Structure formats: structure tokens, C-alpha cells
Amino acid sequence: MMCENFHNLIASRHQARDVSTSDVTVLRDAVMQLIASHQDVNQLLSEASSIVADGEPACDAERPEKKARKNQSSLDLDLDAISVYQCISVLKQRAHLTACPLSISAATFCAQKLVEISSRCPGSWLHDKDQKSVSVIIDVIKKLIEEDDFNKQGFVAIICKRELANVGILWMLHLSSIFTLSDFITASVRSPAIVTAFTANLAEVCIDGGDDADAVSRLLAYVVDKAFGDAESEVEDSTRVKKVLMAILSKVLGRVLDFVRFSDQLSWKNPFAWIFDGEILDRTPCKAFQTHAIKFMLGYKCSVKASAAVSEQCLWTSGKTSEALRSLFDTLCLSFEADELASILKAVLDNHEVNWQLLLCFSTFYLLHFQDAPRLLTSIITCSLAHAFEQLEEEDMLTAFLLARQASLEGTHVFPTYDSWFTKTFREPHTLARTKKSFAFFVRFLAQLVPYETHVPFLKVQITRLPFVPPKCRSLLADYVALAKTRLLDLHVPAEELNMLTTSTSVSTSASTSVSHAAKDQLVERAEQDVNKFVAAFEKNGKIPPAIIETSILHKPFYVGKLLPALLKPRPLPGQPDSLVRLIEALKAADKIPASMYSGYRKGCEREMQQLVSGVFESDDEDLSIPPMQQLQHSVQKLQRTVSGKAEGKKTVSELLSVISERTQAVAAIKTGTITFPQTCDIITLDEEIPEDEKINMQIVDVLLNGFCKMVVTPTQNSDSETLKGAPQYVAMLSGFAGLQPALYRQLMSLICTEVALHDHHLQGLARLLMLIANTGSDFRLARLHITTECKSFTDVIAASLPTFTKSSMIKTLKLCALILDYALGHAEERSGLRSERSSDNLFINVPEDFVRKFAYLVPRLCTEARSSACRTPSVSVDTALGTRWQEMVLRLWRLQPIHLMVQKSIMSFEEWAVSEMRVVLNEDYLDGVSRQDYFAWVVHTRFIPALSQHGGCDGSHAKACSIVFEALLKDAASSSFGSSKEKWRTHFRGTPCQPERTMGGRGQSRVLLLLLLQELLCLLPPAQESWLLGEFQQLLLVGGRAKQQAEVVAFVGILQHLPAYLLFCNKPCDWTEEQSLTRFRHFVNVTRLYCYDAVGLDSNLTATICKGMTLTEGQSSPFAGLLLVKLLESEPVLTGSVMLHWCQLSTSLLDLCYVHKAKHLETVFKEMDAMQQLATRVLEDGEAIKSPPAQSWLLAISLFSQLRATASDHAWLRSGGAQQDMQVMESLMLCFAAELILSTETLQVLALSSAVALKQPPCLRVFDKCSANTIKSHLLTDLQLKMLPWAFFRILHELRCQQAMMQEWQSEGWFGDLLQVNHADLCDLHASMESDEEWKWIRYEQGLDLHFMLKASKLMQSCEIASRDNKKLL
């Protein structure tokens, strides 16, 4: 009907002019398109169907079939149930029924069907069913386009008019090339509603992710390419389209930012992550969009003001940033280098208003993900500070402070602590606030921050690390400090802690720091205990415990500073209020909790709940409910999994280290900060006992060390250089914890320098750690083994302390040294895929020299292949102890030219080698007896003796080799055998001094090996007239200090007993002919008698050695030598007296030795002494009178003393009365007992014998007169014995006090009274000298010369004087 009316309408126009068929067709299509765009197809078809039905007189049989065809032709087609051909067939039938062209009818149908699908799922990505329906429609359109039966222009017009903005449908149309997104934007550019709807739908898809993330990413990539690509567009008004697309992307990015900043979803699929992989999108539009996105993001919604940034930036660290936001940062920074991002960041800060939360979070991400970021960010901070002080611009100052503070929160592995940064920036000579104007600006800026400060450590740093103060500006700083302390009080810092904050420029001592930490820990522990008690009491009756009210009134600082923070500790609140929640609410209602604290508590609880829901720990095994130590362990394990490439999370190594740093601080209150100024308090003494408050630090160190070792030895599946460089960042993080370093040092010492067995992977980790600590340098504190030793870097201390005295310690030390040298050479980095940037000249610049020394010492000792300089073959003998792999590695390093050069520079000297060998425990040595002999022969005769002295050798001199070995033995013996200071005059008077100890698991046996080596070298000495040994003794006496000299003399004598005795006179017995050589020997005797003395003679062992040397020298030299030795013996009373004193022990061996070596001259002298000894025996046994020449009386007295002391029996001779001719012998005998009494600790026996001598012949006491002459007194007694004679005199008189009658009889004689007065005066002088002379103070304690003894002596003196007066009266 419609067609007929239309033909009738235009019939007249056909008659008026000749119109071609094609023109009619075009006109009809245009009219139909106009009608279709303004008419509802459903109504049109319904109308057409009713007209046909009314005009068709069909029979009843045909109506059901026609009705079915009409129903099939309706718009309610089930596109899922029909094929493309069925759909096209229906469209053709409909076009035939309506007499409408198929192209227009099909375009209208498809467009409206797509609009209908879009209305069911607006904005979101299509579901599977809808995608299938759209696919059918697209296939229909393609088929119709092939048949040229589809009106595309009408299709587009309907879509734009009906505002179809579903991104899923549009993207499918774009992929099929039916209707591209460019066509859509071009058609909709003047329709803001359509663009707005499309933008909202695109943002929703980006946030929701959809089922096909790849499709969403490709859609975004197309939009980015069209918006930022450089290719010319065929679309009209392309510039306007680009601006629209850029605006769309900005809106989408803004919506995404709103989502990711507060997102609780961890499974968000970042659609931008897929478009920058280099395959979907070219680099140019990609980088242009990223630049635009970063600038847009940093300035998006600048609602976060600077004041909020100051207060809340501690909540914007890497560990607290959402995973979604970090993923977005990662995507946008993918194409940039560190310097490019720094330029973008600097441009945004200079030219735009910023969102401080996003900017600080971005700066944190930038800092942790780019190697050069710390340097570049520091440069930005420095430039901002310079501009701020130059222009007095507070915005630039705020920028610098916020960036520095944010960076410092991430740990020292990426940025210095705030303490270090503030100190370095604002103290001389770096500060920019040098003038009064700039300093006032600086202090005013800090004061403006104070009301917004919430992070207590920042304020504490600004108080304790005061900046440089120009003249006349001290008051400004004082006002700021007072304001800052007030703010700290508002932040509930206890007043007592504020009082500890120093206002000087010095660093607080470690002692005060540890005390303050201990005091705070006690207060916190007490507060936690009180909270538990209060909650338990409240749970019983539901009332506020009176103790809380009392504490809030009487102990308000503790209540506000400690108790309330412990009570209001944020936590995820339970669904049903528990007792703690009810108690807090009750206190709030009673106005016992400040509003600010309660508000902070509620916000903290909400934050904790949000983190719990969002899974802040990123794994199921990390939960807020677990203790902080376990949280730290989980973070360390997460780092290990990340390095190995097995972690499921997306955090990088730097981000995880920031989390570890934050949790380390949470476990224990540790003050972070590197040591800026070297002071005594910063030195760590390793042998000090670990304080109780540092035990938790040891646990932290165990966790961190274990994590580091596992991290560096775990095979990595990730080739990312940032991951491989995690070890230096790990150590840099450790350097920031100055409070942890004592525990770290002690733990490393216990692991490395003891017999603790370590696996190879532990050694690898520890070696890498030590190298990184050495490279880090001044960030680690200095250390020392003992308070008296020199302080060094810790790596130098541990290198010097590496043990090499057992098999296990040698193997462990060699492995560690090899690993350290391997790392220094760069082999470990090359195997890991990293390139070593160090030149060959600087390979060992940070390697402690002792590591190289001990490597050079142990390699030839443990590996025989290394002893041959010509050995260059890689073959090695298998050693089951060291292992084939390790031996191959050691020999490979040994043969490398850089190692060889370093060993030559740091080679161990011969003396150091000898000391090292003496420390070896023989029964636990790596080498057996034969192997050790071979090694000694090689190292001494091949390496050290031929080598030059500057290379640690002996310049080819055997004498020098002997001197070096002897000096090493001497130092070792002196250090191990010398007693305390109060025993320094009595040490080694009895027994054999310096005997090799049998302690320390056989260390003495190793000393014996060195003695054997010395004896072997002595046999190689060249002939000489002077004794080499006495020459060494002369050198020994040149050392300063009497105590040190005494120790070495005693050690010298001990070593002498293990060497050929003739060395006291000559190098070889046959060489000795000079009388002048006896001068050194006499000097030797006079020196040794001061330290190795036994009553009135030399020590028995020393005497035996001297006599043996004399006998060997006479027997193997010329006859003239015997006469010289006899003359020597007779001219030295000390030597003669010593032989007589010990003749009982020496007689048999000396006489036999003289007979064997034919020493006839000495044999004659010794026989005379033997006769004197027999005479003394007869006197004691038979009690006969003494008939001896006066010249030999002192020798007879010494012989008598020797036998009386040895037998300690009551001889008949002592009981018999004395004769006048016995007086000289008795005086000498009394001196012998007095000398023994002075030096002996067992005084009872000596006192009994000396008393018996005094009773036998009382006038013998006259020998205590200073004016009396006696050979023993003048030649045999030492200065100490002479000085102590008054004490011995009164000690004997005290023993005779019971013999009153005898005392009175003596008193009747004038000599006794005078003798008593003289000795009493000398005793008083001796006692007085002890107060002024430190050298004699020990006598007071050892010999009892105290006030009590002086009182007894005075009483004796007084009683004798009274008796004398009484006698005079009687007369």
C-alpha cells in the first residue's frame, strides 16, 4: 500500500522529466533511510502485517502457515538458536513483506538489536551469551556487506542516535572493521553524552577487568595509539578526535586512580600492563602516554594538602601502599630510565600543583625500583633546598623535607636515615642556613611543621641533631626546641624521656642510649601488664577498676604516656565487643581518654581492619595476629622466594627490604642511624658480655643472617638485575641499624671464628656478607676484640681472628678466604649474570689483608700441589677432608695472576708463620707427622730463608732465621707463662720455668716442633767467636719496661733449657778460644739472677744448663778454654754459690759429664765442691765442730743450708752448742735462711730452722747489721733481699718471742739493742716506701708487711727497751 502511494506520488515527476532508473533507486534509498531513522521498525512491521492480513482473502487452510511465517518474521529472534543464513533469510522475508530495501531493513534491525543487547549490560564487558549474539549479528552484517545489501551509513546513524556506548560491542565491531572506534569517536565527537557514557563504561571495564583482560588491554592500546601516535589520520577533524581520546584516557586514568588508592582487591588485573610489552603498541605513543599519565596522576585531585602530607606520610610507605597502585606505577614507569623519571618528577614539582599522597607514594616506588634513583632523588632534594634558601621559598623547602623524610622511611639500603640526612645537610660545612636571614627562615619553616608532626623520631632528630647556628641566632633555635618538646608531650612522649634528649651537637653515648631503652622497655612492659590486670578486673564486674582512676590522677605522665597507648593499641575490632572494647568505651564515657587519642585509636583500628581484609601481608601464612618476630621471619622468607623467582606476589626486592626494615624496627626499639662522627662510644668491644636488653637483637640477627645466606645462594630463576643486586641493598639496610651491629658482630664472630661447623651455603653467604660490609665501609661501626686493643673495621678484626689451629678451623678458614677472594675477583658476579665494573687494579681494594695472608698460609700447607711454582696443571689429588671441588677452586685461585700479585704484597712473614704454627693443636692438625716435616722443610728452606726481608724472608741468612724462630718462641712463652703483677718478683723461682704446657689440646707440642726446628737451624750456623744466643739476649734487654723485660728473660731461660748448652759460650764448641767472650756471659748471669733466683743462687735448671755448657765447651775446645772456665767459676760467687746450692742434684751428672768429655779442669773444681758437700753432711750427721778455712766458710754455709732445707729434720748439730770458730759459717747460714724466708711462701719450716740457728749461735744475728761484711750479703743477695732483711730480722724475732729468758740475755749485751734499733728504723723506711713506690706495694700483701706487723715490731722494740732500762737499774 505504502509503495503504491509512493509511486503515485512521484508519477507526475516521471512525466515531467526523464529520470534514470539509478536516480530513482538512490532517491528511494535516501527516503527509506530518512523514514527508518525516524520510525520504529516494530510498529512499521506490525502495521504492514495487519494490512496484509486484512487485504488477503486466504482460505482457512492457508492462515496457520502464513501466521507462522509472520511469527518467524517478528523481531523477537533467538540469535543463539539460529544460524547466520537463517537470520538473513528472515531479514529478506521481512524486507519483502514491508517492501523495504533489504539494506535499510537489515541495518535498522542489526543496529537496534545491538542497542537492545547493550541495554541489558550497560558499560560492562559482554557475557558469553551476549558475545555470541553480537558475533551472529556481526557475521550477518559481514555477509550482507559482501552481497552489497547493508546500509552502513544508516547503521552508524542509528547507533549514534541511540547512544550505544558498550565498550564490548564497540570493540567487537572495531575488530570486524564494520565500525571502528575512530569512526565511533568521529561520529560522536559533537555528542558529549555519548563520549561521557563511553568513558564511564571504559573506566568500569578497566576497574572490573572483565573475563578477557587481553581484549581490554588491546582496546586501551588502540585508544592510546590514536591519541598519542604520530601517524596521520584519515578521519576528518583528527586533531579534535585526538584531544577527545586524550580526555577519555585521562578520565579513565582518574577513575582507576580513585579505585587503586583505596582498593581492597589483590586480584585486580591491571589493563595497562599488557599494552606496553612492545608488541601491541609502538614505543613512541607508549612513552608519550606514560609521560602524560605520570604527570596527570601526580596532579590528580590535589585535595591532599601539605599539612596532611606531614602528618600522614608515614602511612604512605612502600609496605603500606596497595598492590594495585604499585602495579599501576610499575606499568607507567616501564619505558623510562631513572634520569627520565627524575626529569618528569622535577617538572611536576616545579610547574604543577601536586597530590602529595600520590607523589610521595610514587617517589617511594621510584626509589626502590631504579638503581640510580637515590642519587637522582638526592639531587632533586638538594636543588629544592638550594632554591628554597635562595628565594626563601617555603614550597621548595617543604618539597625537599617531604621527599627526604619519605625516602628515609624505606631503609638505608636506598637512602640514608633521616638522622644522617638532617645532620649532613644542616651542619657545617654543608648547611645553606649560614646567615641570620636564612637561618630564621629555616627555623620558621620547622616551627610551621610542628603542629602537624605525628612521627616522633623526626622531631627527636631535629632536637638532638641541632643545625649550625649563626651568631645571634641561638634564641631562635631555643624557641623552636621548646616548641618541639611541647609537641612531643602532646604526642605522649614521657617527660623523663624528653629530659634525656640532649641539646648539644654531640652524639649521645651508647651507654645512655641503652639505659634509656631499658627504662622505656620496663615502663612499656609494666603498662602491658597493668592493662591485662585491668581488663581481667573489668570482665568480672563490668566496672572500671579503681586502680585506673588512681593511676590517671596520681601518675598522669605514666597514664597518658604508657598506659593509654598500651590500652589503645590499634587492632582489628571483633564483631561482638569484647572486654577490652567495653573497657575502652567505659573510660571514654568517663572522660578518661582524650578525644584525640580515642580518634586516633578508632582510625588505627579501621586501618588495621582494612589491611586485614586487603591482605597486607600478601600471603596466607602472614597474619596480623602473629607475633612481630614471626612477621619478620615471613618477610625474610618472602624475599628469598622473590629472589628465586618462586614468589606469587609482585613486590620487588627493594620493596621487600623496606618491609623488612620496618618490621625489624617493630620487633625491638632500635635507634637507626649510621655513625657520622667517630667517637669512643661508637666502638664495639666484642669480648664484653651481652646486655640483657640486647638478647632480642641476637634473635633478630639470627633471622636476618639466615635470610641473607639463603637469599645469596638460592638458585634464581629471575634474570632481573635489580633482583640480583638485592644483596648489596640488604647489607645497606643492615648498616642503618646501629643498635643491631653489636649483636651482628658477635654472632658473626661466633659463627666464623669458633669451631662451629657450617655448611658450604652458609660459608658462601657469610663470605658475601663480609665483602659487602667491607665495601660499605664507614656505615658500619668500628670494633675491637678487647678494650685494650686497637679499634679497626669489623672485617679487619674478624680477618685477624680467623682460627688456623685445628683441622676443621683450617678448612673453614681456607674456604672462607677463597670465597672472599673469588667474590673480589668478580667470578661470583659473572656466574650470576652481573658484570664486574672494577678494574684489575682495584680488585682487592676492600679486601682485608689478613684474608689474603691466611689464604697464602693455608693453601701450601693443605695442598701439596701449590708448593711447586712450576705446577700449572689443573689436576689435583683428591683430599677427602677438603673435597675435590673446593681443592680445585682453591688451586684455580692460587694460580691466577691477580691473586699471585696480591699474595706477594701481603705475604705472611717468617715470624708470623712461626707464631701461627705454634698455635696449631698437634693432635688435631690437618697434616700428619711425615707430611708436617715435608711442609716445614719446604716452607723454611725454599720460601722464607732465600726470600728478601721485605718479602718476609731471611735474606739467605740462617742466623736471621734462627733469630726469628727464637723471637717467636720467646714472645709466645712470655705471654703464656708470666704471672700477675704482685707475683712478678717471685715468678719461676722454683721449678722449671716456661715448660711447654700440656693444656689447650696439645699446643705445647707444637711449640716443641718449633724448638726442634730451631735446633736444626742452629746446626747450620756459621763459625763465629761470639755466641749467637747471648747476642739475642742483648737484643732482648733493649726492650722497654721492667715487667716486659722480666717476662722475656724468664721465657729466655725456659727456652735455653731445650737448646744445646754450649750456645751460652759459642755457636760451636770447637770455635771458642777468646776470653773476651766471657763478658757477655757474666752480664747474662747478673741479669738472670734478678728473675730466676733460688734463695742465694740461680735456679737449679739454669745452673745445670750453665754447668753443662761449660763442660761441653771445655771438652770440645782447646785446653786453654778449661782454664778460662775455671777462672770464670771462681771469679763469679753467684755462679759458684749456685753450683754449691744445687750440688746434691747436679753432682752425679756433672762428674759423669766431665769424665765423658774429658773436662779435667772443671772436674777438679767439681770434686772440691763434692768434698765440701761431704763435709757438710758429716757436720750435720755427727754434730762435729766446723773446721774450715775462712775463705770457704760461705760455701760451707750454702751446703749446710741446702741439706737442711732438703731434709728439714732436727739435726744433732743444731742442738749442740756452737764454738767460736763456727761464727762465720753461722752468719752466712743465717743469711741463707733469711734470703729463703723473704722469697718463700712456706715460711713455717724456714722459720723453725732459722730460729734454731739463732738459738745455737745468737751472735750470728749480727749479720743483719748493715755494716757487717759477708760474701753472701755482698755478692749473692739481690737488691730485694737486701731491702727486706729488716723484715726477716723481725720475723725471726717474732718466732723467738716465746724464748723470753734468751731474749733478756741477748738484751744484756749491747750489740743486740743497737741492732734492734737500726733494723726497726730500716723497717719503718721500708713500710713508708711502699706508699709512694708502686713497685713495692705487693710486699704488703705477699709478705704481710702491714700495720699489724709494724705494731708487733714496735711492741717488741718497746719491750726490749724496757728490759734494757730494768737491767740498768739493777746494775
Side-chain angles (χ1 to χ4, degrees), residues 639 643 653 657 708 711 721-731:
L639 176 65
V643 171
V653 171
L657 286 175
F708 179 85
M711 181 186 73
S721 62
E722 193 272 340
T723 300
L724 295 174
K725 294 178 181 177
Q729 294 181 348
Y730 197 108
V731 176

Side-chain angles (χ1 to χ4, degrees), residues 970-1100:
L970 194 66
K971 290 182 179 179
D972 182 72
S975 63
S976 61
S977 63
F978 188 50
S980 61
S981 60
K982 67 180 182 180
E983 299 173 334
K984 60 184 179 181
W985 297 108
R986 296 193 298 104
T987 305
H988 302 298
F989 284 146
R990 297 295 179 90
T992 302
C994 307
Q995 289 290 342
E997 297 110 348
R998 298 300 172 181
T999 58
M1000 297 181 63
R1003 175 183 167 186
Q1005 299 176 15
S1006 297
R1007 191 179 301 163
V1008 170
L1009 292 179
L1010 266 293
L1011 285 169
L1012 295 175
L1013 174 62
L1014 179 59
Q1015 293 175 7
E1016 176 187 341
L1017 293 173
L1018 288 172
C1019 296
L1020 302 176
L1021 286 177
Q1025 294 298 325
E1026 295 184 355
S1027 169
W1028 165 85
L1029 186 62
L1030 293 182
E1032 293 297 316
F1033 185 76
Q1034 295 294 329
Q1035 294 295 323
L1036 177 149
L1037 298 180
L1038 297 178
V1039 298
R1042 187 169 184 177
K1044 183 177 181 182
Q1045 185 182 94
Q1046 176 196 354
E1048 294 198 349
V1049 167
V1050 172
F1052 182 94
V1053 173
I1055 298 173
L1056 173 62
Q1057 298 166 25
H1058 302 280
L1059 298 177
Y1062 58 79
L1063 290 174
L1064 285 171
F1065 304 95
C1066 56
N1067 293 346
K1068 297 181 183 297
C1070 58
D1071 300 333
W1072 190 75
T1073 57
E1074 293 291 334
E1075 183 178 2
Q1076 296 177 354
S1077 62
L1078 293 178
T1079 304
R1080 284 188 175 183
F1081 177 76
R1082 288 191 178 96
H1083 180 65
F1084 167 76
V1085 172
N1086 291 329
V1087 172
T1088 53
R1089 67 187 289 261
L1090 299 176
Y1091 308 115
C1092 301
Y1093 212 56
D1094 183 6
V1096 289
L1098 297 175
D1099 174 79
S1100 61

